[in-house]
Structures are given as C-alpha cells and as structure tokens.
Amino acid sequence: MREPDWIDIATPSVKLRALTWGPPDAPIALCLHGFPDTAWGWRKVTPLLVDAGWRVVAPFMRGYAPSTVSADDSYHVGALMDDALHVLDAAGPTGRDVVIGHDWGAMTAAGLAAMPDSPFAKSVIMSMPPLAAYRPWGRAPDQLRLLAQIPRQLLRSWYIMYFQLPWLPELSASRVVPTLWRQWSPGYDEAEDVRLVEDAIGAPDNWRAAISMYRQNFRGSKPPAEYADLQPLFMKPPEMPILYLHGDDDGCMAPDYVAWVERILPPGGGAFVVEGAGHFLQLEQPDVVGRHIVDYIGRF
C-alpha cells in the first residue's frame, strides 16, 4: 500500500493532522485512536478497508503530535467528539461514512453513535465498552457478576489512579508507555509502536495533554461551553448500529464485559471477542479485525 496523504484541520482550539488512504471520493471510515497509541495504529487494518472501497481518515488526537495541544486546555470526550466532526467536515462527508474508535477513540465513537442526527451511518467500538452498558449505575443487569469484576479491574486500572497524582506522572512517560503496552497486549512486539507513541506524546506538553484526558474525564470536570452538549453523549445508549470488538487477552479490560455490551446493541449490530489479541487488537490481529469490520460496514 502506498504512503498516506495528510489532511490539515484547523478548529478554534486546536490544529489537527490526519493520515488518509484510499480514493478521495470514497465513503469515509474515520478511525480514532486511543491512549497510548497514534493514528499509525490503524496502518495494518487500513489495506483491508481500502480494498473494500473505503477511504480511511485517521487523525492524531488533540495533544498528540503532529496535532497541537489544545488552546482551551480541554481534553474532555466532548472535545474529542467535536474534533472528529471537524475532521469529517474537512475530509468531505458522503452521507455513508462510518466511525471506528479504539480506547479513547472508542469512547468518542460511542458518543457519536448516541448523537441525534449523527453524520455517521454506523460505528465500530473496540476495547472499551460503551459506558451505557453499565447503566443505570448500581442497577445494571447481573449486578453481582459485574461487581465481581471490580477487584481485578482495579488492579488493571492502576494507571488511572496514578495519573490523578500531582507532578509525579508528568515525569514518567518513558516508563509508563512501554509498561502499559506490555501489560495490555502481552506477547505483541510493541517496540515500533512505542517509538511512534514517544514521537507523539514524549514531549512534556504532549504527555501532560495525554494524561489530562484521564484527569478531566474521571474527575467529572466541566468542559468548555462549546463541548457541553456533546460531553454527556458518550454515556448514553447508541442510536445507530454498533459493532463491538474486544481481544480475548486484553490486559486493560477483560473480555467478560462483552456480555453487558450485548444488552445495549441496537438492531444491526454485533459483539465479538477476537482470539489471540490483547488490547491493541487491530495491530495484533489485523486480518481478523479487518474482516469483522468490512463484513459489518460493507463494500463499495
């Protein structure tokens, strides 16, 4: 596959850069990465999408170079949703476009799937279950089974609590990033991807932006007014079909949570556990993941 082209997108608060592969007039598969990853994390699954007639557009999240840090210092999910909508507008929406998200990109895609009059026809969500699957809080189905997941999940989620500490997390990017890759996708050779992540968020301002996503969203801080209407959507049930994919050896979140995702799937959706894959399943099993996605979003 040839090298990607670039799209530059200027919003009121951030300048975004996106990779793009495929015909410029094809329907768009907007691919949103998470932490600690980059837009290059879609490089292995892209050939299958392009061969199926899609144009892949993969932006670097705000705060991840070569995108800039945010002038309004917002890294709320609502801000990420707003960025995704700007990227789609800049790329040229076709009315047949889909959004594919992993990790924080999955949270963003979940919000866009719950958005009334969303510009996307379908959504693919990977490795991070939509929060609507566990609502209403404290009264979700199989509550005892869900509660039984908490001790193990707290151990897996140590980094979230660590990022809430003052100043210390800012000094530890070079240790945290490779540690998380090894824990989340055991057995995967992460060296190339870790280098790409270091290029994107290795600098102090970029690293602070990356961990600000955990601070702002988990502390429930209010986003700027322009994102206020978007922010609550990532916790609401999807209004469009969604495909959910999760690796069976995910060290970030166990695949057991798929059972709760299945209960909120609108008609036309599905949920699958991908064997032989950890958290970064699109890199570990790109052929399997690509086939699932193409079978769901279709061919042109």
Side-chain angles (χ1 to χ4, degrees):
M1 171 169 283
R2 66 176 179 83
E3 290 297 307
D5 295 321
W6 289 88
I7 303 175
D8 292 293
I9 306 101
T11 83
S13 61
V14 67
K15 293 180 180 178
L16 301 168
R17 299 207 78 197
L19 305 171
T20 181
W21 295 264
D25 57 347
I28 293 168
L30 182 64
C31 295
L32 308 175
H33 73 86
F35 170 90
D37 198 4
T38 73
W40 291 110
W42 299 105
R43 67 190 182 278
K44 294 183 180 180
V45 79
T46 285
L48 286 87
L49 301 182
V50 172
D51 287 348
W54 292 88
R55 178 190 182 196
V56 172
V57 177
F60 288 79
M61 277 198 298
R62 58 171 57 199
Y64 285 64
S67 294
T68 67
V69 297
S70 175
D72 60 14
D73 200 36
S74 175
Y75 298 94
H76 299 83
V77 175
L80 304 182
M81 293 172 62
D82 188 70
D83 290 346
L85 295 171
H86 277 286
V87 173
L88 179 65
D89 284 343
T94 68
R96 300 172 294 173
D97 310 308
V98 299
V99 59
I100 303 171
H102 176 258
D103 194 84
W104 279 109
M107 304 278 262
T108 306
L112 294 167
M115 180 181 177
D117 301 319
S118 175
F120 298 99
K122 291 183 176 181
S123 176
V124 180
I125 298 172
M126 299 164 58
S127 300
M128 192 62 63
L131 293 183
Y134 313 123
R135 302 188 76 181
W137 305 126
R139 290 184 289 121
D142 293 326
Q143 189 66 33
L144 291 178
R145 183 181 168 200
L146 184 59
L147 290 173
Q149 303 288 329
I150 291 177
R152 180 172 60 169
Q153 189 58 53
L154 287 174
L155 292 174
R156 291 172 181 259
S157 299
W158 63 267
Y159 62 98
I160 297 176
M161 293 172 280
Y162 175 67
F163 288 158
Q164 309 308 315
L165 298 174
W167 66 264
L168 183 60
E170 278 83 346
L171 303 177
S172 54
S174 62
R175 292 188 178 183
V176 169
V177 169
T179 297
L180 291 178
W181 273 83
R182 288 192 295 268
Q183 290 181 352
W184 291 0
S185 286
Y188 175 67
D189 183 359
E190 78 285 351
E192 179 181 4
D193 292 281
V194 167
R195 285 194 296 270
L196 292 168
V197 173
E198 289 173 346
D199 290 342
I201 54 175
D205 286 349
N206 300 101
W207 177 246
R208 188 195 65 80
I211 62 178
S212 289
M213 292 182 188
Y214 290 93
R215 291 171 172 172
Q216 293 178 1
N217 290 288
F218 283 92
R219 294 175 184 177
S221 66
K222 290 185 178 181
E226 57 265 38
Y227 314 129
D229 291 340
L230 294 173
Q231 180 71 11
L233 293 176
F234 79 100
M235 292 186 285
K236 294 187 176 181
E239 295 193 1
M240 67 173 68
I242 65 170
L243 171 68
Y244 183 73
L245 301 175
H246 202 110
D248 71 341
D249 196 22
D250 190 330
C252 178
M253 294 194 75
D256 309 60
Y257 296 106
V258 170
W260 285 273
V261 176
E262 290 173 335
R263 61 179 279 267
I264 63 162
L265 291 175
F272 298 92
V273 175
V274 177
E275 295 183 3
H279 188 66
F280 300 97
L281 66 169
Q282 74 274 28
L283 287 162
E284 299 169 76
Q285 295 290 344
D287 291 341
V288 176
V289 170
R291 285 197 298 270
H292 274 301
I293 294 174
V294 170
D295 288 347
Y296 171 65
I297 64 177
R299 297 175 179 271
F300 290 92

